[in-house]
Amino acid sequence: MNNIMQLGGGLGFWGTILVGILAGWLAHTVMGGRGGIIWNLIIGVIGSWLGFFVAEKLNIHLGELFHGWFWGNLLVSAAGAIVLLFLLRLLRGR
C-alpha cells in the first residue's frame, strides 16, 4: 500500500483523494465536458499517476519550486489528468 501512495506524490490516502478530485475537476474544466465527483476522482488519480510518472522521468520536482506538497502535486496531477482526458477522447473519436 505504501508504494501506491508514493505514486501519488507521497500525500497519503486522503491527500491523494483530495488532489485527485481537484485535478479531475480542473481537467474537465480545461478540456470541457462534464464529470461527477466519482469520475473526477478516477480521472484525477489516474492522471496524477501519469503526471508523476512523466515528471519523474523528466526529473521535474515541482515541490521544490512551490515550497510545499499541495500546489506542485495539484499541478502535476491536473496536467496528467488533462493528458489522460485528451487520450481518452482520441480513442473514442471525439
Side-chain angles (χ1 to χ4, degrees), residues 7 45-55 76 79-84 87:
L7 287 174
V45 169
I46 295 171
S48 72
W49 289 337
L50 176 64
F52 281 102
F53 176 77
V54 171
V76 169
I82 289 168
V83 169
L84 179 61
L87 293 174

Side-chain angles (χ1 to χ4, degrees), residues 31 50 80-93:
M31 295 294 291
L50 176 64
I82 289 168
V83 169
L84 179 61
L85 279 179
F86 177 76
L87 293 174
L88 287 173
R89 288 181 182 174
L90 277 179
L91 290 174
R92 291 196 324 205

Side-chain angles (χ1 to χ4, degrees), residues 50-91:
L50 176 64
F52 281 102
F53 176 77
V54 171
E56 182 71 26
K57 294 298 177 190
L58 296 175
N59 203 26
I60 298 171
H61 302 285
L62 292 178
E64 297 168 4
L65 204 80
F66 288 102
H67 303 292
W69 63 269
F70 183 78
W71 295 111
N73 284 344
L74 182 59
L75 183 62
V76 169
S77 297
I82 289 168
V83 169
L84 179 61
L85 279 179
F86 177 76
L87 293 174
L88 287 173
R89 288 181 182 174
L90 277 179
L91 290 174

Side-chain angles (χ1 to χ4, degrees), residues 5-66:
M5 294 304 113
Q6 290 298 346
L7 287 174
L11 301 178
F13 179 77
W14 294 111
T16 301
I17 297 296
L18 174 66
V19 169
I21 291 170
L22 291 174
W25 175 79
L26 283 171
H28 278 104
T29 301
V30 169
M31 295 294 291
R34 296 186 315 203
I37 193 166
I38 300 298
W39 184 242
N40 286 344
L41 172 64
I42 292 167
I43 293 296
V45 169
I46 295 171
S48 72
W49 289 337
L50 176 64
F52 281 102
F53 176 77
V54 171
E56 182 71 26
K57 294 298 177 190
L58 296 175
N59 203 26
I60 298 171
H61 302 285
L62 292 178
E64 297 168 4
L65 204 80
F66 288 102

